[in-house]
Amino acid sequence: MTRKLLKTRSIAPLLRIDPASTLSLQAQLRTRIVEAINASVLVPGRRLPSSRKLASELGISRNTASLAYQQLIADGHLVARERSGVFVADSPVLVKHPARAIASRSHDDTASEARTKMHAQLATSVGFRCPPDWQKYRYPFIEGRYDQSLFPVAEWREASRLALGVKEIETWSIDDGDADDEMLIEEIRTKLLPRRGITARPDEILITAGEQQALHLLAELFARPGITLGMEEPGLPSMRELVALRAAEARYLDIDEDGLIVGPEISECDIVHVSPSRQRPTGVTMSMKRREALIAAANTNDFLIIEDDFECEMNYLREAQPALHAMTGGERVLYVAALSKLLAPGIRLGYLVAPADVISAARRLRGLTTKRPSPNNQRTAAYFLSLGHYDAMLTRLNRVCEQRLIALRDALNHYRPESIAIPPVDGGTAYWVKGPDGLDANRLVKAAEAKGMVIEPASDYFADPVGRKNMFRLGITSLPVDRIRPGVELLSQVMRDLGTETGDGRMAEHDHLAGTAVRKALSGATLLYKTVYGEPCTIEVRRNGTLVGRAGYANEDRDEGKWWIEGDRWYRSWDRWAYGESAGFFVAVEGDALYWLNDDGRVVDGAVIVSERTQSA
Amino acid sequence: MTRKLLKTRSIAPLLRIDPASTLSLQAQLRTRIVEAINASVLVPGRRLPSSRKLASELGISRNTASLAYQQLIADGHLVARERSGVFVADSPVLVKHPARAIASRSHDDTASEARTKMHAQLATSVGFRCPPDWQKYRYPFIEGRYDQSLFPVAEWREASRLALGVKEIETWSIDDGDADDEMLIEEIRTKLLPRRGITARPDEILITAGEQQALHLLAELFARPGITLGMEEPGLPSMRELVALRAAEARYLDIDEDGLIVGPEISECDIVHVSPSRQRPTGVTMSMKRREALIAAANTNDFLIIEDDFECEMNYLREAQPALHAMTGGERVLYVAALSKLLAPGIRLGYLVAPADVISAARRLRGLTTKRPSPNNQRTAAYFLSLGHYDAMLTRLNRVCEQRLIALRDALNHYRPESIAIPPVDGGTAYWVKGPDGLDANRLVKAAEAKGMVIEPASDYFADPVGRKNMFRLGITSLPVDRIRPGVELLSQVMRDLGTETGDGRMAEHDHLAGTAVRKALSGATLLYKTVYGEPCTIEVRRNGTLVGRAGYANEDRDEGKWWIEGDRWYRSWDRWAYGESAGFFVAVEGDALYWLNDDGRVVDGAVIVSERTQSA
């Protein structure tokens, strides 16, 4: 009877082992025993079964049980007494529960009082938020999230292992000072900055928790009532908020396809925040002419520039421009950048390059707000860079992103949902999409979400969102390339449905030509139109039934195909373009304007007929 | 001839291998090759020697050379061409140096302009700074730095390894959102907070980059013009600066041996910042009576409390008190704590517990300033806690710190340099030392530094340092226990020398008694005095030449010894006290006051003769 009772007191049921866990059996066993001690289920002095007995009860090897005990004894959770066994230590947990009973209570009572004293601006809610379960969506066209396959697992592990060497730990764990990791500073100074044309001394560089902290430190250092800060419109919402928190004046500067427009209002600024490599959020790159104009304006009007060198390492469609900081006159540029976005969600490291006295003040402010960014991550990143893993990662990442971005561009060009437009980009990870004027992007986001698609509306990026409700962003970091085309096709359909629902009658319907008239209008014609990303494209519709297409400013892209008539529809089939698939459209002509129509008689695309008469003459 | 030339082109000299490096030979080789490619010393297309040849030139194994090549090929830095060898890849580095020539220039030109726009307060310099080479000092009595032996190397490595599992990386590397690591939140919620008596829901907890970020977020949320913030005096300089940056009103509240004094001026506060577990910097613990008074005052006057639960896990001399947050009325307490200081220099993680709407606003502000603290470190810390390593580390750390703190206390009591006083503490890692009124701690710090000692002056901790120049702190985290006694002895000597130099005449000289008079005055007397840490101590000087000593409020410490006279000097030798060493002093008596004098006739210590007559009668 007693034996039976003892047997029922087996601790095995407490120590549930999960075969699917990523933890080793031994680590699981230790975790469970520590939990049971913490929860006072295993009390001090309690004798544990022998490792042999525990192993047989749990169906694990004796070695595993024995090693777990050994570690727990070494850690002081258990004690071994010779010849009598293993016991829970007398004071295994350092700080005991205070004697005072813990009343379980809600904090809601004080919420209201606290709220009255809280900074009103920070208590208000934000705009669009990516659904936390975005990974469950089939088409997550969302930026800043990365599909798992891209993370350099083995390489980061190697760097971590090196940074966990005993001598290494000494460099980052002992000193609570404000100095950054010297090795990381050297890697940035000698490898990353020279690629941007920048030379800097170590005391002109500060490591930050991502570029966001660099922007925060600069805002705190320079923005205050009486100071006017120029910002891009559209631009980074967090920058606007930082400026508002400091109660500085904001001046919004428009963006076009060449980046920030350097107009007369810039002379009113004390500081201008600009993202020239890849404008946040439109993705456009600032042209060299504009860069020179900006620097000249800064010199004339004596303002400082915060250069937010976002995605400077992701130019795969065109060569990178040097940083503003590297240009003549760049001394007044405070330079902000970050290690690749691919590392950013998990390891947030950025850097600020500025005159030594600005760095010194920023370092002091950093000490008041967060102290220096995780020194262990700084050293790991230093190894990751020095071993060449960082460059290798960028090469892989850019190859993948280039493929996806072109796939997105081509799909948008192919499906052209509701006459959208996208600006030209040199690279990056997203397209800024402008829809027809009547589009309500917030409604589109909701309708798309119902179809398994995550899309970011663009209105949050505008200080003045009035009349800017028709824009949204499509990112490519978080979905594989083969989802992009079907995703855009679906998006196109959602946009069409939405347009119909709203009864938006912008799209005039046209009467289509009969088959013979189509042949007469098109055979031998040359058609001129623009890609959705703004490049010119000509199509020769040859009398012999072939097509020759040329796209790009230098006709850099060329394709051939066939055309024919079936009923009243004009069909075409390119070798590569339009996914090499044949498609047929009704056709309408008004003057020299040609419209391709779908089955409902709605315009799908348009072109200008430039040489019908001459060729057919 | 050509062969010879080719031979001199060996790349081996570029690839210096350092046998003392902590990097493996293979990793060193890769680092050097990547460096040479980056520096354009190895140009694209350049053929590398065979792994066999390279190995023989460098005196390393062929396997090492071959593995290094393989990894560099996999990373895209090198390419292997069948039958012809290994070459530098054509575009090994992603972003090329911009064509524009890089003018090497100094930034100093703009420094002055930048400075005029910079926040004046942040541009000013700070007070005391620990020398960066403090590890070279023999007696680094400095807090916040840890000697290497204490870091839990193997345990942190195990947790890191687990957090680097493929599935784990997925949890922390994909999503750029603002949510904290759920596993870490659970560990804090269910293991750490209950020890402080605190229950909280997950949405009432925010992870911060150390406690400093939590304080910064609260300052930013609540402090502004028109809000009065009560702060401890002496207190945390960074808290004062945060309040000043927000231009809020500051009200300074004095500290005594029971912690914050809850006086009438507290009613003017909207928020009070307090460190009840271990007051920063004096180390005193707030008494339960004062805690109740503070909560009552908060309820009466409707103010919020920021509870800075500094070193709540380091109470080895007395039991910990529960947190203010856990007390009745604790709903108005915003609770701030951090993982052990031992981890803090390298892995900076803290947490804020507050009502959900405060947490939500703080999370938003964190997004604007730094985004969430390193997710990889969050997950590693979660494993470190769940495996029980954190508790084991604390147990070890507290054992070491207790030993050192008692050694420091006893040494201060023994050498009593220049009539210092230290407050009673329940644990912690430093003593707050008050010297004689005339002491200039800044001069002491410099004089001590010249003798190989690092000491922190206390004046930075005072908002109003006038009349507080005589205080300093002695920390014990960064020097081994056997350096403490000689360090204090040396300090005592430095203080004496300094006193002499300044010609500070406070220490009245006394004429000492002759040997016979000493015997008459002391034999059979009971002497009453106070330890330097404020505890009473009685010594019976028995006629038979023995001594009996009792110390502490409950006479908890007891020792015996011997006394005798040699010439005019009174000698004593305790069994344990005063390190069991004999020492002789001259003696002076004025009324019932007794003074022990050194060879120069200066007072070393004093006592009250309470029962000479009665015993001798």
Side-chain angles (χ1 to χ4, degrees):
Chain A
M1 185 66 185
T2 318
R3 285 186 88 98
K4 252 193 181 162
L5 264 175
L6 276 173
K7 207 166 177 197
T8 60
R9 288 185 64 219
S10 156
I11 66 163
L14 296 174
L15 311 174
R16 54 185 201 290
I17 300 294
D18 176 7
S21 168
T22 54
L23 281 182
S24 71
L25 288 177
Q26 197 222 109
Q28 283 190 62
L29 194 52
R30 279 187 280 137
T31 306
R32 298 291 163 254
I33 291 175
V34 169
E35 277 173 3
I37 294 173
N38 262 292
S40 295
V41 176
L42 290 179
V43 293
R46 166 75 190 262
R47 185 173 177 228
L48 295 186
S50 69
S51 58
R52 181 192 300 274
K53 191 170 166 221
L54 184 66
S56 100
E57 285 182 1
L58 293 173
I60 61 179
S61 84
R62 190 183 163 192
N63 200 32
T64 301
S66 171
L67 284 171
Y69 276 2
Q70 276 169 35
Q71 177 73 53
L72 290 167
I73 289 165
D75 277 358
H77 297 287
L78 304 181
V79 286
R81 295 194 197 123
E82 233 174 309
R83 281 170 221 262
S84 58
V86 172
F87 298 81
V88 176
D90 279 340
S91 50
V93 173
L94 190 88
V95 186
K96 294 184 201 81
H97 284 227
R100 175 176 294 267
I102 301 163
S104 173
R105 58 149 187 262
S106 155
H107 289 107
D108 293 340
D109 297 346
T110 6
S112 57
E113 299 161 39
R115 203 183 287 116
T116 61
K117 287 176 181 165
M118 207 153 57
H119 202 302
Q121 199 170 355
L122 286 162
T124 59
S125 73
V126 282
F128 170 77
R129 290 182 73 97
C130 176
D133 60 344
W134 62 269
Q135 289 185 74
K136 292 186 187 144
Y137 288 74
R138 186 158 177 82
Y139 304 111
F141 280 107
I142 195 85
E143 225 205 338
R145 275 82 178 158
Y146 283 83
D147 62 300
Q148 177 55 18
S149 61
L150 296 173
F151 194 89
V153 173
E155 293 80 6
W156 185 258
R157 273 192 198 144
E158 182 186 26
S160 298
R161 211 160 40 232
L162 289 168
L164 285 167
V166 172
K167 291 225 163 190
E168 297 299 320
I169 288 178
E170 194 163 347
T171 67
W172 56 257
S173 77
I174 287 186
D175 204 331
D176 196 22
D178 59 8
D180 287 313
D181 189 286
E182 285 177 17
M183 180 177 170
L184 180 59
I185 293 279
E186 262 331 89
E187 288 292 325
I188 290 170
R189 205 174 76 80
T190 61
K191 278 194 193 147
L192 302 188
L193 293 181
R195 294 179 197 171
R196 308 296 301 127
I198 297 173
T199 50
R201 296 192 311 255
D203 66 351
E204 293 170 332
I205 306 172
L206 186 78
I207 305 294
T208 56
E211 59 216 329
Q212 191 61 42
Q213 184 173 33
L215 295 175
H216 171 250
L217 295 175
L218 291 175
E220 184 87 24
L221 282 181
F222 292 102
R224 63 174 174 275
I227 290 285
T228 300
L229 220 139
M231 284 177 287
E232 297 166 318
E233 172 80 345
L236 209 56
S238 63
M239 195 68 205
R240 279 203 310 276
E241 292 192 67
L242 287 172
V243 170
L245 280 175
R246 296 282 85 74
E249 286 287 309
R251 190 74 75 248
Y252 297 106
L253 309 169
D254 285 334
I255 295 294
D256 67 11
E257 296 190 353
D258 287 322
L260 187 84
I261 298 173
V262 183
E265 66 281 10
I266 212 163
S267 64
E268 296 163 27
C269 298
D270 297 297
I271 311 165
V272 171
H273 171 250
V274 62
S275 47
S277 270
R278 179 123 321 101
Q279 204 270 331
R280 301 215 258 180
T282 63
V284 302
T285 299
M286 196 177 196
S287 67
M288 188 48 79
K289 217 169 148 178
R290 286 279 174 80
R291 287 168 194 249
E292 282 162 359
L294 179 61
I295 296 263
N299 280 325
T300 308
N301 302 292
D302 192 22
F303 60 76
L304 294 175
I305 297 169
I306 298 174
E307 177 175 24
D308 188 346
D309 206 13
F310 185 64
E311 286 189 343
C312 57
E313 290 160 326
M314 300 192 86
N315 296 284
Y316 18 83
L317 303 183
R318 219 175 303 169
E319 279 277 293
Q321 306 272 21
L324 289 173
H325 188 95
M327 292 172 63
T328 307
E331 298 86 1
R332 53 176 71 247
V333 176
L334 309 167
Y335 178 87
V336 169
L339 293 189
S340 169
K341 284 163 72 180
L342 176 52
L343 294 177
I347 301 107
R348 201 177 297 293
L349 288 174
Y351 42 101
L352 170 63
V353 181
D357 64 336
V358 175
I359 292 297
S360 162
R363 190 188 304 277
R364 204 163 153 238
L365 180 59
R366 191 185 66 173
L368 290 178
T369 55
T370 61
K371 304 202 174 178
R372 60 184 175 186
S374 312
N376 65 336
N377 277 339
Q378 289 198 36
R379 180 48 62 108
T380 306
Y383 272 118
F384 192 74
L385 278 156
S386 76
L387 288 165
H389 293 324
Y390 184 72
D391 289 340
M393 179 194 80
L394 281 183
T395 305
R396 277 195 308 274
L397 177 65
N398 282 1
R399 203 182 301 130
V400 169
C401 286
E402 176 176 10
Q403 196 190 18
R404 290 183 188 175
L405 197 72
I406 290 177
L408 177 60
R409 187 190 71 176
D410 290 350
L412 288 170
N413 193 45
H414 183 65
Y415 294 102
R416 298 190 168 232
E418 300 265 343
S419 71
I420 57 155
I422 52 179
V425 295
D426 294 356
T429 55
Y431 263 111
W432 174 261
V433 186
K434 190 175 166 180
D437 290 343
L439 178 76
D440 179 345
N442 290 307
R443 286 190 57 213
L444 174 64
V445 166
K446 281 204 190 93
E449 199 174 312
K451 300 275 186 184
M453 204 178 307
V454 190
I455 288 171
E456 184 189 12
S459 50
D460 289 349
Y461 291 101
F462 286 97
D464 176 13
V466 173
R468 271 84 175 245
K469 282 195 166 163
N470 60 332
M471 302 176 207
F472 56 94
R473 291 217 304 167
L474 297 175
I476 48 87
T477 51
S478 44
L479 83 178
V481 68
D482 58 8
R483 296 260 174 90
I484 290 175
R485 185 187 165 187
V488 171
E489 185 175 12
L490 184 60
L491 173 69
S492 171
Q493 194 187 311
V494 171
M495 285 183 77
R496 259 201 312 277
D497 294 351
L498 209 63
T500 311
E501 274 172 29
T502 54
D504 171 358
R506 271 176 323 89
M507 285 288 173
E509 293 183 15
H510 297 263
D511 292 333
H512 68 256
L513 301 180
T516 48
V518 173
R519 182 179 302 276
K520 191 163 170 244
L522 287 183
S523 182
T526 294
L527 308 177
L528 181 61
Y529 77 108
K530 277 207 162 195
T531 62
V532 74
Y533 44 98
E535 294 196 348
C537 182
T538 59
I539 299 172
E540 292 175 33
V541 186
R542 296 195 170 170
R543 290 181 198 287
N544 63 359
T546 62
L547 292 169
V548 174
R550 288 183 186 81
Y553 288 99
N555 288 336
E556 51 265 50
D557 193 14
R558 191 179 183 283
D559 199 21
E560 299 190 355
K562 291 191 176 65
W563 68 271
W564 65 94
I565 307 278
E566 277 180 33
D568 285 346
R569 285 201 189 80
W570 181 82
Y571 278 82
R572 55 101 183 112
S573 170
W574 293 99
D575 290 352
R576 285 186 302 107
W577 290 2
Y579 303 105
E581 292 169 2
S582 23
F585 308 90
F586 293 114
V587 171
V589 171
E590 282 182 17
D592 60 355
L594 174 143
Y595 300 100
W596 285 288
L597 313 176
N598 68 9
D599 291 359
D600 307 330
R602 289 167 54 106
V603 174
V604 173
D605 208 347
V608 177
I609 307 172
V610 285
S611 53
E612 187 204 359
R613 299 297 161 209
T614 39
Q615 288 212 355
S616 63
Chain B
M1 185 67 185
T2 319
R3 288 186 86 99
K4 252 193 181 163
L5 264 176
L6 276 173
K7 207 165 176 199
T8 61
R9 288 184 63 220
S10 155
I11 65 165
L14 297 174
L15 310 175
R16 54 185 199 290
I17 300 294
D18 175 7
S21 167
T22 54
L23 281 181
S24 70
L25 289 177
Q26 197 222 110
Q28 284 190 62
L29 194 51
R30 280 188 279 137
T31 306
R32 299 291 162 256
I33 293 176
V34 168
E35 277 175 3
I37 294 173
N38 263 291
S40 296
V41 176
L42 290 179
V43 294
R46 166 75 191 262
R47 186 172 176 229
L48 296 186
S50 69
S51 57
R52 180 189 303 272
K53 191 169 165 222
L54 184 66
S56 99
E57 285 182 1
L58 293 173
I60 60 178
S61 85
R62 189 184 165 191
N63 200 33
T64 301
S66 171
L67 284 171
Y69 276 2
Q70 276 170 36
Q71 177 72 52
L72 290 167
I73 290 165
D75 278 359
H77 297 287
L78 304 180
V79 287
R81 293 192 199 125
E82 235 174 308
R83 282 169 220 261
S84 57
V86 173
F87 299 80
V88 177
D90 280 340
S91 50
V93 175
L94 191 90
V95 185
K96 294 184 201 79
H97 284 226
R100 174 176 296 264
I102 301 162
S104 173
R105 60 150 186 262
S106 154
H107 288 108
D108 294 340
D109 297 346
T110 6
S112 57
E113 298 163 40
R115 203 183 289 118
T116 62
K117 286 174 181 168
M118 208 153 56
H119 202 301
Q121 199 171 355
L122 286 161
T124 58
S125 74
V126 281
F128 171 76
R129 290 183 73 96
C130 176
D133 60 345
W134 62 269
Q135 289 184 75
K136 292 183 187 145
Y137 288 74
R138 185 155 178 85
Y139 304 110
F141 281 106
I142 196 86
E143 224 205 338
R145 275 81 181 159
Y146 283 84
D147 62 299
Q148 177 56 17
S149 61
L150 296 173
F151 194 89
V153 173
E155 293 79 6
W156 185 258
R157 272 191 199 144
E158 182 186 26
S160 298
R161 212 161 41 234
L162 289 168
L164 284 167
V166 172
K167 291 224 163 190
E168 297 299 321
I169 288 179
E170 193 162 348
T171 67
W172 56 256
S173 78
I174 288 186
D175 204 331
D176 195 23
D178 58 9
D180 287 313
D181 189 287
E182 285 177 17
M183 180 177 170
L184 181 58
I185 293 280
E186 261 333 87
E187 288 292 326
I188 290 170
R189 206 174 76 79
T190 61
K191 277 195 193 145
L192 302 188
L193 293 181
R195 293 179 197 171
R196 309 296 302 126
I198 298 173
T199 50
R201 298 192 310 255
D203 66 350
E204 293 169 332
I205 305 173
L206 186 76
I207 305 294
T208 56
E211 57 215 331
Q212 190 61 42
Q213 185 172 34
L215 294 176
H216 170 249
L217 295 175
L218 291 176
E220 184 87 24
L221 282 180
F222 291 102
R224 62 174 176 276
I227 290 284
T228 301
L229 221 138
M231 283 177 288
E232 297 165 318
E233 173 79 345
L236 210 55
S238 64
M239 195 67 204
R240 280 203 310 275
E241 291 193 68
L242 288 172
V243 170
L245 280 175
R246 297 284 82 74
E249 286 286 311
R251 191 73 76 246
Y252 298 106
L253 309 169
D254 286 334
I255 295 294
D256 66 13
E257 296 189 354
D258 287 322
L260 187 84
I261 298 173
V262 183
E265 67 282 9
I266 212 164
S267 65
E268 295 163 28
C269 299
D270 296 297
I271 312 164
V272 171
H273 171 250
V274 62
S275 47
S277 270
R278 176 122 322 101
Q279 204 269 332
R280 302 217 255 179
T282 63
V284 302
T285 299
M286 197 176 194
S287 68
M288 187 48 79
K289 216 169 149 178
R290 285 279 174 81
R291 287 168 195 250
E292 282 162 359
L294 178 62
I295 297 262
N299 280 324
T300 308
N301 302 292
D302 192 23
F303 60 76
L304 293 175
I305 297 169
I306 298 174
E307 177 176 24
D308 189 345
D309 205 12
F310 184 63
E311 285 189 343
C312 57
E313 290 161 325
M314 300 192 88
N315 296 284
Y316 19 82
L317 303 183
R318 221 175 302 168
E319 279 278 293
Q321 306 272 20
L324 289 172
H325 188 96
M327 293 172 63
T328 307
E331 298 87 1
R332 54 178 69 246
V333 176
L334 310 166
Y335 178 87
V336 169
L339 294 189
S340 169
K341 283 163 74 180
L342 177 52
L343 294 177
I347 301 106
R348 201 177 295 294
L349 289 174
Y351 42 100
L352 169 64
V353 181
D357 63 337
V358 175
I359 291 296
S360 162
R363 191 188 304 278
R364 205 165 151 238
L365 180 59
R366 190 184 67 173
L368 290 177
T369 55
T370 60
K371 305 203 174 177
R372 60 184 175 185
S374 312
N376 65 336
N377 277 340
Q378 289 198 35
R379 179 49 60 108
T380 305
Y383 272 117
F384 192 74
L385 278 157
S386 75
L387 288 165
H389 293 326
Y390 185 72
D391 288 340
M393 179 193 80
L394 281 183
T395 304
R396 276 194 309 273
L397 177 65
N398 282 2
R399 203 182 301 131
V400 170
C401 285
E402 176 175 8
Q403 197 190 16
R404 292 183 188 176
L405 197 71
I406 289 177
L408 177 60
R409 187 190 71 176
D410 290 350
L412 288 170
N413 192 44
H414 183 65
Y415 294 102
R416 299 190 167 229
E418 301 267 341
S419 70
I420 57 156
I422 52 179
V425 296
D426 294 357
T429 55
Y431 264 110
W432 174 261
V433 185
K434 191 175 166 183
D437 290 344
L439 178 77
D440 179 346
N442 290 307
R443 287 190 57 212
L444 174 65
V445 166
K446 281 203 191 95
E449 201 175 311
K451 300 274 186 184
M453 206 178 306
V454 191
I455 288 171
E456 185 190 11
S459 51
D460 289 350
Y461 292 101
F462 286 97
D464 177 13
V466 173
R468 271 85 175 245
K469 281 195 167 164
N470 60 333
M471 301 176 209
F472 57 94
R473 291 217 304 169
L474 297 175
I476 48 85
T477 52
S478 44
L479 83 177
V481 69
D482 57 8
R483 296 259 175 90
I484 290 175
R485 186 188 163 186
V488 171
E489 185 175 11
L490 184 59
L491 173 70
S492 171
Q493 194 187 312
V494 171
M495 286 183 78
R496 257 200 313 274
D497 293 351
L498 209 62
T500 311
E501 274 173 31
T502 55
D504 170 357
R506 271 177 322 90
M507 285 288 176
E509 293 181 17
H510 296 263
D511 291 332
H512 68 256
L513 301 181
T516 48
V518 172
R519 181 179 302 276
K520 195 170 168 233
L522 287 183
S523 182
T526 295
L527 308 177
L528 180 62
Y529 77 108
K530 277 207 162 195
T531 62
V532 72
Y533 44 99
E535 293 194 349
C537 182
T538 59
I539 299 172
E540 293 174 32
V541 187
R542 298 196 169 169
R543 291 183 196 286
N544 64 359
T546 62
L547 293 169
V548 176
R550 289 184 183 83
Y553 289 100
N555 289 335
E556 51 264 50
D557 193 12
R558 191 179 183 284
D559 200 20
E560 301 188 355
K562 289 189 176 67
W563 67 271
W564 65 95
I565 307 279
E566 278 180 30
D568 286 347
R569 285 202 190 80
W570 181 80
Y571 278 81
R572 57 98 182 113
S573 170
W574 293 100
D575 290 352
R576 286 188 299 107
W577 289 2
Y579 303 105
E581 292 168 1
S582 24
F585 307 91
F586 293 113
V587 171
V589 171
E590 284 183 16
D592 60 354
L594 175 142
Y595 300 100
W596 284 287
L597 313 176
N598 67 9
D599 290 0
D600 305 332
R602 287 168 54 105
V603 173
V604 174
D605 208 348
V608 176
I609 305 171
V610 285
S611 52
E612 187 204 358
R613 299 296 162 208
T614 38
Q615 288 212 357
S616 65

